[in-house]
Amino acid sequence: MKKMHNVLATIKRESAKELNLFFLALSFFTRIPVPKSMHYSPSKLNQANRYFSLVGLLLAVLQGGIFIIFIQILPLSIALLLALAAGLILTGAFHEDGLADMADGIGGGLTTEQRLSIMKDSRVGTYGVVTLTSIMALKYLLLFELAQQEAANPLSFVITLSLGFALSRALAASLIFNTPYVSELSGSKSKPLASAQSRQELLILFLVALLPALFFSFYQVMTILLLLALFRVLLRTWLIEKIGGFTGDCLGATQQISEVIIYIVLLASYTITLY
């Protein structure tokens, strides 16, 4: 009996620990309220990277649910735009801000120091505006076309969002595993996260991210994974060349671009099937 009690106590303790890590990830990447009893420390936040893709799944369900509600009373184009706006509110445009900052820094700086300094600047420059506008417009058009393909079953669109949200966050977080963290500037978004990522955390990250892949064909999933792997190799090489590694802004940018790649592959696969 005592042994069973100890086992149950261990399970309860470990469950509370993992739930705390999930809430840390949720509070870091979204504006969604979390329990006030949540415990924070830089090391715990670093361990919370295992749940980044799970946060993506939650956001996809929320944003997809909003889309399903609006599509009942509004045209698809408006319902989608409102759903995307709701997503920006839920996340505080966290990743989009990273994309704009990275574009400004690497596009406008001539040295590593200049690039990192520009990334830290809260003001948005020409490179950031052009890049962010382009990727937001592309994402809207891709999702609009995908939503039309799946108009008969709105839940299929939620699954598409789930794959895009979760897998793109997993890929972005995977840069922590084997890429140097380079910015020592105050205000960096990734500083608490950047010290390390274990193989176990990386495995959990991708296992969760690939759950929505069960609803897609083998060829769709393999094409997405191959293109994302190639993108990761090229991006990592480019970042090391430009700034010596990654910053939090680079993780946000990686998430945004990866998400678009996923939607491009899915839409191309549907188009090819039609022909």
Side-chain angles (χ1 to χ4, degrees):
M1 182 65 69
K2 184 176 180 181
K3 184 177 180 180
M4 178 63 68
H5 181 270
N6 290 337
V7 170
L8 292 175
T10 300
I11 294 174
K12 182 178 179 180
R13 184 171 60 253
E14 290 301 313
S15 299
K17 174 188 172 184
E18 295 302 319
L19 189 60
N20 186 74
L21 293 179
F22 170 71
F23 285 139
L24 279 171
L26 189 65
S27 66
F28 192 75
F29 286 107
T30 76
R31 301 289 178 86
I32 298 173
V34 297
K36 294 182 179 179
S37 59
M38 180 190 72
H39 299 290
Y40 166 82
S41 71
S43 62
K44 283 187 173 66
L45 188 54
N46 185 71
Q47 295 172 0
N49 75 72
R50 70 188 68 174
Y51 291 120
F52 290 177
S53 51
L54 185 58
V55 170
L57 286 181
L58 175 61
L59 288 170
V61 170
L62 293 174
Q63 195 166 328
I66 292 170
F67 172 76
I68 290 175
I69 292 172
F70 281 128
I71 197 65
Q72 307 304 315
I73 55 175
L74 293 169
L76 189 152
S77 58
I78 305 301
L80 178 59
L81 189 60
L82 290 173
L84 290 176
L88 293 175
I89 294 172
L90 286 171
T91 62
F94 188 82
H95 300 295
E96 289 80 2
D97 177 65
L99 174 66
D101 286 344
M102 191 189 83
D104 276 334
I106 296 184
L110 298 178
T111 66
T112 296
E113 291 73 21
Q114 288 178 347
R115 290 164 184 151
L116 293 176
S117 179
I118 294 172
M119 284 186 196
K120 182 189 172 186
D121 194 331
S122 60
R123 294 170 295 182
V124 181
T126 303
Y127 290 103
V129 171
V130 171
T131 302
L132 188 56
T133 302
S134 299
I135 205 160
M136 292 299 292
L138 180 56
K139 187 186 298 186
Y140 174 81
L141 292 172
L142 287 167
L143 288 174
F144 179 80
E145 294 293 334
L146 286 167
Q148 283 191 317
Q149 294 286 338
E150 300 158 348
N153 183 9
L155 286 177
S156 296
F157 183 67
V158 178
I159 295 172
T160 295
L161 287 180
S162 298
L163 182 65
F165 281 28
L167 190 53
S168 62
R169 283 165 172 79
L171 186 84
S174 74
L175 287 175
I176 300 172
F177 182 71
N178 65 346
T179 310
Y181 171 71
V182 296
S183 178
E184 295 299 331
L185 300 172
S186 61
S188 169
K189 299 177 184 64
S190 70
K191 192 167 186 177
L193 305 174
S195 62
Q197 182 181 72
S198 69
R199 293 183 184 276
Q200 180 184 12
E201 288 164 350
L202 187 65
L203 180 62
I204 294 172
L205 194 67
F206 277 98
L207 284 177
V208 172
L210 287 171
L211 288 176
L214 297 174
F215 295 90
F216 297 90
S217 73
F218 173 79
Y219 298 104
Q220 286 174 315
V221 175
M222 289 307 299
T223 302
I224 288 171
L225 292 178
L226 287 172
L227 286 178
L228 287 181
L230 177 61
F231 168 66
R232 187 187 185 280
V233 170
L234 295 176
L235 177 68
R236 181 176 180 273
T237 302
W238 185 67
L239 289 175
I240 291 175
E241 177 186 345
K242 293 294 182 181
I243 59 174
F246 78 94
T247 68
D249 292 324
C250 299
L251 299 186
T254 303
Q255 186 278 320
Q256 288 289 293
I257 300 171
S258 300
E259 187 180 346
V260 166
I261 291 173
I262 292 167
Y263 299 148
I264 289 174
V265 173
L266 291 178
L267 184 57
S269 70
Y270 293 141
T271 303
I272 292 171
T273 300
L274 287 177
Y275 286 99

